[in-house]
Amino acid sequence: MELDRIYFKNNPWPEGHPVKEFNWSASVRDGFVWFDFHLETKDYYSERDIEDEDDTEYPSDWAAPIVWGNYHACTLSTNYWHEGGFKVCALSDYSPEFLDGLELEVDPNPENIEDWDDLAFHIYLLGHDSAAKHTIKFERIDESLNFKITWVGKIAQAYVGDYEYKHDFNVIIKNVSFPDANKQV
């Protein structure tokens, strides 16, 4: 798997899609550090267009290049459409050393959440879909203040009324700066 690419398992581009933008920020809420992620891809077909015949039948919209092309690109974010984010640790524990090797689960049981606005992340993929069941791992690069982030999760095609989290995604962001957590919310 290449770095700074997002992969959607079994979509028409097994080689994944380049990440155009990734922002990682931290804030303090009631004495705890919370993270926000904002990821945007380049257009799905930016590196390879797929000729799609009008009479080609696909098993689902997920497998159809023309459907992906209609939506152009993905935005996966905790703070673009809503005030989401995810809790990391107490402010007193927050340091690059604490974060190194830390693996977090975010929204592991979305079926227990009554309002989808309460999910940490929102996603625009093939419409406004839903993302949950995230596992996010932080690895410090040498002794620097930069990290590699490995992130996997599941997607439900909520936009078309499918609320089952059956589609996998994964991404590795290779060199992102440790965020300052001095912003109070």
Side-chain angles (χ1 to χ4, degrees):
M1 189 164 85
E2 288 185 51
L3 304 177
D4 294 338
R5 296 183 77 78
I6 190 166
Y7 298 83
F8 302 103
K9 187 175 180 182
N10 297 323
N11 91 331
W13 287 269
E15 69 274 18
H17 306 280
V19 173
K20 177 173 79 172
E21 178 182 342
F22 181 79
N23 295 313
W24 174 23
S25 60
S27 60
V28 178
R29 301 179 194 175
D30 298 321
F32 289 91
V33 175
W34 285 66
F35 284 165
D36 280 303
F37 284 0
H38 178 85
L39 180 146
E40 292 181 28
T41 69
K42 291 185 179 180
D43 286 347
Y44 299 134
Y45 43 81
S46 67
E47 296 177 321
R48 179 175 64 88
D49 202 3
I50 298 174
E51 293 298 321
D52 199 7
E53 302 297 325
D54 289 337
D55 59 349
T56 303
E57 293 206 21
Y58 294 95
S60 68
D61 284 351
W62 189 266
I66 194 167
V67 173
W68 286 81
N70 286 341
Y71 294 97
H72 305 289
C74 173
T75 301
L76 178 57
S77 183
T78 60
N79 57 3
Y80 187 72
W81 296 282
H82 75 307
E83 293 299 322
F86 52 98
K87 188 190 297 188
V88 179
C89 64
L91 179 58
S92 59
D93 293 330
Y94 187 61
S95 69
E97 294 78 18
F98 173 84
L99 203 60
D100 189 17
L102 182 66
E103 187 170 291
L104 299 173
E105 288 187 352
V106 179
D107 294 331
N109 301 302
E111 60 279 356
N112 296 336
I113 295 175
E114 291 182 30
D115 184 348
W116 282 31
D117 281 338
D118 292 338
L119 291 170
F121 290 89
H122 284 191
I123 186 171
Y124 180 83
L125 183 71
L126 301 180
H128 289 280
D129 294 312
S130 182
K133 301 185 179 194
H134 307 271
T135 301
I136 303 167
K137 183 173 183 178
F138 301 89
E139 296 173 85
R140 192 172 182 187
I141 299 170
D142 301 320
E143 296 297 315
S144 73
L145 291 179
N146 292 335
F147 282 77
K148 176 175 92 171
I149 298 173
T150 304
W151 177 13
V152 299
K154 303 285 261 179
I155 298 166
Q157 286 187 267
Y159 188 70
V160 294
D162 184 352
Y163 300 101
E164 184 180 342
Y165 290 89
K166 60 186 173 190
H167 299 289
D168 298 313
F169 76 87
N170 57 63
V171 62
I172 296 177
I173 304 297
K174 68 178 173 186
N175 194 14
V176 61
S177 297
F178 179 76
D180 182 18
N182 289 328
K183 179 182 161 193
Q184 296 283 330
V185 176

